[in-house]
Amino acid sequence: MIKKIAVAVSALTLSAASFAATLPDTPVPFKSGAGAMIDNVIYIGLGTAGNSWYKIDLTSDKPVWQSIALFPGQPRDQAQAVALDGKLYVFGGVGKESAEATRISVSNEVYCYDPKNDSWQLLPTRSPVGLTGHAAIALDKDNAVIVGSVNKEIFDGLFYDLEKAQGDEKALSQINADYIGKEVKDYFFNEYVLSYDAKNNLWHKIGTMPIGGTAGSAIAKKDNVITVVNGERKPGLRTAKALQFSVDKNVATFSALDDMCPANGESVQDGVAGAFAGYSGYALLVAGGANFPGSTKAYEQGHNFAHEGLTKTWRDEIYMLLDGKWVCAGKLPQPLGYGVSIEYKGGVLLVGGETTGGQATSAVQYIYYKDGKVNID
């Protein structure tokens, strides 16, 4: 099985690997933004790009980033973009509701970009739940699937309370302690699997995640099977779980996967949030992300503030899921997470992201499975 896949992927990646080495950096250091590809043109924006959006044509002899129309809404982090029927759909995010707003909140808006006339439109819809920390992917040409997200009421309420308590250090300390000290179940992260029908501008609930609600999960699709990997269970605490599901007639059918294996030299997989993911042939590659090593053990021992005293760690590991089994398959040149993943010609482009300390990067890298191993360009 592995040899057959390696041969199939090899034919696709020979040209892509050489092309990837020549892709220019993103126009600005880029993290916590959104992106997707339409007809071999990548579109990225928001996050550290603010209201700016850019495109790059991968079929060009000398690909360059070009500006497109500015995003008409407020700047936001953690929005998700999906390409549907030749257009770009942007879901949710976290930011200020207006230029006059004094605090951030979770968005339930949907915007659409039409490349044919370089224009944006705020659609007349709202997602059934607020969407920040969600993961989104195209199911087919008309429908997107969305999983995860923090709870809008709890998250927005936190920032309302913090703003109201400004200047009162005792109150601020208590508000933060109350927020961090809850059990996983008390954050009410979104457990629904949602679908958005762009053709009819309709939302559907198509299932409930067996692993519970998450934020910052990685997501990828092969044929009709969607895989969701890891993510936050609550602030500072990840999960090592992964699952797959298929969708038929707006009903999701789930199947379990093994937990992701520990990194080399570690005995526990704490899980990651903000990882890159995509398929290279039939090998699912999951790269980077961030976690708090030791938080899983602390939570299991009854410490709700599971990451207290622990260090947020940006990861450089690349994991591969092949034939239902996880393996440690290599390392990125540097720790990296919270960028945009784009599948292209048998591999995965890692666009931007942040490295240790949260520093945004501009690099565009390419990972792919070939000749029995994972390669990086």
Short mmCIF file of all heavy atoms in Angstrom, two decimals, residues 1 22 48 55-56 74 92-93 117 176 208 241 275 299 311 328 347-348 352 361 376:
data_model
loop_
_atom_site.label_atom_id
_atom_site.label_comp_id
_atom_site.label_asym_id
_atom_site.label_seq_id
_atom_site.Cartn_x
_atom_site.Cartn_y
_atom_site.Cartn_z
N MET A 1 0.83 -1.21 0.00
CA MET A 1 0.00 0.00 0.00
C MET A 1 0.86 1.25 0.00
O MET A 1 0.67 2.17 -0.78
CB MET A 1 -0.93 0.00 1.22
CG MET A 1 -1.86 1.19 1.31
SD MET A 1 -3.09 1.17 0.01
CE MET A 1 -4.10 2.56 0.48
N THR A 22 10.17 28.15 -5.39
CA THR A 22 10.24 29.49 -5.99
C THR A 22 9.09 30.39 -5.57
O THR A 22 9.03 31.54 -5.97
CB THR A 22 10.25 29.38 -7.52
OG1 THR A 22 8.99 28.83 -7.96
CG2 THR A 22 11.37 28.48 -8.00
N THR A 48 -3.27 39.01 10.60
CA THR A 48 -2.28 40.10 10.62
C THR A 48 -2.26 40.90 9.33
O THR A 48 -1.58 41.93 9.25
CB THR A 48 -0.88 39.55 10.91
OG1 THR A 48 -0.61 38.46 10.02
CG2 THR A 48 -0.75 39.07 12.34
N LYS A 55 -3.87 37.52 -3.67
CA LYS A 55 -4.00 36.30 -4.45
C LYS A 55 -2.68 36.00 -5.14
O LYS A 55 -1.85 36.91 -5.37
CB LYS A 55 -5.11 36.43 -5.49
CG LYS A 55 -4.81 37.43 -6.62
CD LYS A 55 -5.93 37.44 -7.65
CE LYS A 55 -5.61 38.41 -8.81
NZ LYS A 55 -6.68 38.40 -9.84
N ILE A 56 -2.46 34.73 -5.46
CA ILE A 56 -1.29 34.31 -6.22
C ILE A 56 -1.70 33.17 -7.14
O ILE A 56 -2.34 32.21 -6.70
CB ILE A 56 -0.13 33.90 -5.29
CG1 ILE A 56 1.14 33.64 -6.09
CG2 ILE A 56 -0.48 32.73 -4.42
CD1 ILE A 56 2.39 33.52 -5.23
N GLN A 74 -15.14 44.50 9.48
CA GLN A 74 -14.10 44.82 10.44
C GLN A 74 -12.98 43.78 10.38
O GLN A 74 -13.23 42.60 10.10
CB GLN A 74 -14.68 44.86 11.86
CG GLN A 74 -15.56 46.07 12.12
CD GLN A 74 -14.80 47.38 11.98
OE1 GLN A 74 -13.79 47.60 12.63
NE2 GLN A 74 -15.26 48.22 11.09
N GLY A 92 -17.23 33.80 10.04
CA GLY A 92 -16.92 34.12 11.42
C GLY A 92 -15.62 34.86 11.63
O GLY A 92 -15.17 35.67 10.81
N GLY A 93 -14.99 34.57 12.78
CA GLY A 93 -13.78 35.26 13.22
C GLY A 93 -14.03 36.00 14.52
O GLY A 93 -15.15 36.02 15.05
N ASN A 117 -15.53 39.74 -10.51
CA ASN A 117 -15.65 41.20 -10.49
C ASN A 117 -14.91 41.83 -9.33
O ASN A 117 -15.10 43.02 -9.04
CB ASN A 117 -17.12 41.63 -10.49
CG ASN A 117 -17.92 40.98 -9.39
OD1 ASN A 117 -17.39 40.69 -8.31
ND2 ASN A 117 -19.21 40.74 -9.62
N ASN A 176 -10.78 36.46 35.54
CA ASN A 176 -9.86 35.58 34.81
C ASN A 176 -9.77 34.20 35.44
O ASN A 176 -9.76 33.18 34.75
CB ASN A 176 -8.47 36.21 34.72
CG ASN A 176 -8.39 37.27 33.65
OD1 ASN A 176 -8.72 37.02 32.50
ND2 ASN A 176 -7.94 38.47 34.01
N THR A 208 -23.42 15.60 15.56
CA THR A 208 -22.82 16.06 16.81
C THR A 208 -21.50 15.34 17.00
O THR A 208 -21.44 14.12 16.91
CB THR A 208 -23.75 15.78 18.01
OG1 THR A 208 -25.01 16.42 17.79
CG2 THR A 208 -23.14 16.31 19.29
N LYS A 241 -7.33 13.39 20.39
CA LYS A 241 -8.28 12.60 19.63
C LYS A 241 -8.41 13.07 18.18
O LYS A 241 -8.12 14.23 17.86
CB LYS A 241 -9.64 12.61 20.31
CG LYS A 241 -9.66 11.90 21.67
CD LYS A 241 -11.04 11.79 22.23
CE LYS A 241 -11.03 11.05 23.57
NZ LYS A 241 -10.49 9.69 23.45
N ALA A 275 -2.79 23.43 13.96
CA ALA A 275 -1.89 22.69 13.07
C ALA A 275 -2.32 22.84 11.61
O ALA A 275 -3.49 23.12 11.31
CB ALA A 275 -1.87 21.21 13.46
N TYR A 299 -4.71 18.09 34.05
CA TYR A 299 -6.17 18.08 34.06
C TYR A 299 -6.70 16.75 34.58
O TYR A 299 -7.67 16.71 35.34
CB TYR A 299 -6.71 18.35 32.66
CG TYR A 299 -8.21 18.55 32.63
CD1 TYR A 299 -8.79 19.72 33.13
CD2 TYR A 299 -9.05 17.56 32.14
CE1 TYR A 299 -10.16 19.91 33.13
CE2 TYR A 299 -10.43 17.73 32.14
CZ TYR A 299 -10.97 18.91 32.63
OH TYR A 299 -12.34 19.08 32.64
N THR A 311 4.48 26.05 29.86
CA THR A 311 4.93 26.93 28.79
C THR A 311 4.24 26.59 27.48
O THR A 311 4.27 25.43 27.04
CB THR A 311 6.45 26.82 28.59
OG1 THR A 311 7.11 27.17 29.82
CG2 THR A 311 6.93 27.75 27.48
N CYS A 328 5.12 9.34 13.52
CA CYS A 328 5.90 10.58 13.48
C CYS A 328 6.70 10.55 12.19
O CYS A 328 7.52 9.64 11.98
CB CYS A 328 6.82 10.66 14.69
SG CYS A 328 5.94 10.74 16.27
N GLY A 347 0.47 17.50 -2.55
CA GLY A 347 1.13 17.91 -1.31
C GLY A 347 0.34 19.00 -0.63
O GLY A 347 -0.80 19.33 -1.02
N VAL A 348 0.93 19.60 0.41
CA VAL A 348 0.24 20.62 1.19
C VAL A 348 1.13 21.85 1.30
O VAL A 348 2.27 21.77 1.76
CB VAL A 348 -0.10 20.11 2.60
CG1 VAL A 348 -0.96 21.14 3.35
CG2 VAL A 348 -0.81 18.76 2.54
N GLY A 352 2.25 31.05 5.53
CA GLY A 352 2.36 31.88 6.72
C GLY A 352 2.33 31.06 8.00
O GLY A 352 2.79 29.92 8.06
N THR A 361 4.99 34.79 10.52
CA THR A 361 5.98 34.53 9.48
C THR A 361 5.37 34.80 8.10
O THR A 361 4.15 34.86 7.94
CB THR A 361 6.46 33.07 9.53
OG1 THR A 361 5.37 32.20 9.21
CG2 THR A 361 6.98 32.72 10.92
N ILE A 376 10.05 18.15 2.56
CA ILE A 376 9.74 19.54 2.83
C ILE A 376 10.51 20.42 1.85
O ILE A 376 11.71 20.25 1.67
CB ILE A 376 10.13 19.94 4.27
CG1 ILE A 376 9.47 19.01 5.28
CG2 ILE A 376 9.72 21.40 4.55
CD1 ILE A 376 10.04 19.16 6.68
#
